[in-house]
Amino acid sequence: MGLIPVANDQIATVVTALEMLARPRPRPLPDSALRLIRWPAPDPAKYRALFRRVGEPWLWFSRLVMDEERLRAIVQDPKVDVYAVVDRGGIEVGMLELDFRTEGACELGFVGLIPELAGKGHGSWLMAHALMLAWQPEVRRVWVHTCTLDHPRALGFYRKHGFVPYKRTVETFADPRLAGVLAPDAAPQIPYLGALSR
């Protein structure tokens, strides 16, 4: 067994891809005071604000560094469905992005809620909606990926909802906190290394 060094300004994570090859049996939707609101052709600034709010604790940054034209091409594509999760007061507290751009498949591109909602059953409510919306008549495969930077229960959560792991990869990238993409105190569970330690 060998260890591969990772530079102090880089982060490494194990990415697990999971898939579902058959529509799950219908079940009653879990209760929740939350609602799912479709965002057709979302404004990139509004999209990024919610993306940051949901993903910053887990170092989600990919859509924050993407140039506006490329981001628009994805989130405003007619084959990509973007939803905001809102609470009773209309505050956006989560997101769901379904990508149908590959024929016969749906990728759960981003699924998440703000950390304050963790452990309250809202994740199961969101996943039930995600699967109901993902399994369009032409879809034969729904897939998602998670990584070791995500919530510690994310992989088990996907498996509980019927996804089966099929591939694992290692990804390394520059720490987005160093470039100012994310706040220096984002994801404190992932420490700075070397001269950047606090």
Side-chain angles (χ1 to χ4, degrees):
M1 175 171 72
L3 298 175
I4 300 169
V6 177
N8 285 355
D9 66 341
Q10 299 285 303
I11 292 177
T13 184
V14 177
V15 179
T16 302
L18 304 98
E19 64 185 357
M20 188 181 289
L21 300 176
R23 180 186 303 270
R25 288 181 23 219
R27 291 186 266 181
L29 286 174
D31 288 332
S32 176
L34 304 177
R35 292 179 300 128
L36 207 55
I37 306 293
R38 175 88 191 274
W39 274 5
D43 172 70
K46 187 174 180 180
Y47 175 93
R48 282 191 178 110
L50 183 57
F51 183 91
R52 179 184 300 276
R53 189 155 179 246
V54 172
E56 189 169 52
W58 317 112
L59 288 189
W60 290 9
F61 72 96
S62 61
R63 298 291 173 83
L64 303 176
V65 297
M66 195 176 280
D67 70 65
E68 185 141 335
E69 184 177 329
R70 186 165 170 229
L71 180 60
R72 278 185 192 278
I74 295 169
V75 301
Q76 296 182 357
D77 188 299
K79 293 185 177 182
V80 175
D81 295 346
V82 178
Y83 296 84
V85 178
V86 298
D87 66 12
R88 286 183 181 167
I91 306 294
E92 292 143 359
V93 294
M95 68 185 307
L96 170 64
E97 184 176 313
L98 303 173
D99 188 337
F100 296 96
R101 292 177 295 172
T102 299
E103 186 177 342
C106 176
E107 177 188 3
L108 305 186
F110 292 98
V111 183
L113 298 164
I114 59 172
E116 295 86 347
L117 295 178
K120 298 179 180 174
H122 300 298
S124 290
W125 170 86
L126 180 56
M127 182 55 68
H129 280 278
L131 293 174
M132 186 175 62
L133 293 164
W135 282 102
Q136 300 293 316
E138 70 280 2
V139 169
R140 297 179 305 280
R141 175 179 181 256
V142 175
W143 72 281
V144 66
H145 70 272
T146 187
C147 72
T148 50
L149 300 177
D150 282 336
H151 191 285
R153 294 193 304 264
L155 182 57
F157 174 82
Y158 289 125
R159 294 182 77 166
K160 172 185 154 189
H161 286 279
F163 287 92
V164 176
Y166 70 92
K167 180 173 69 171
R168 216 175 14 232
T169 54
V170 175
E171 179 183 14
T172 59
F173 54 88
D175 189 329
R177 297 169 295 188
L178 299 178
V181 175
L182 294 176
D185 60 350
Q189 73 277 12
I190 304 162
Y192 284 123
L193 296 181
L196 301 169
S197 297
R198 302 204 186 235

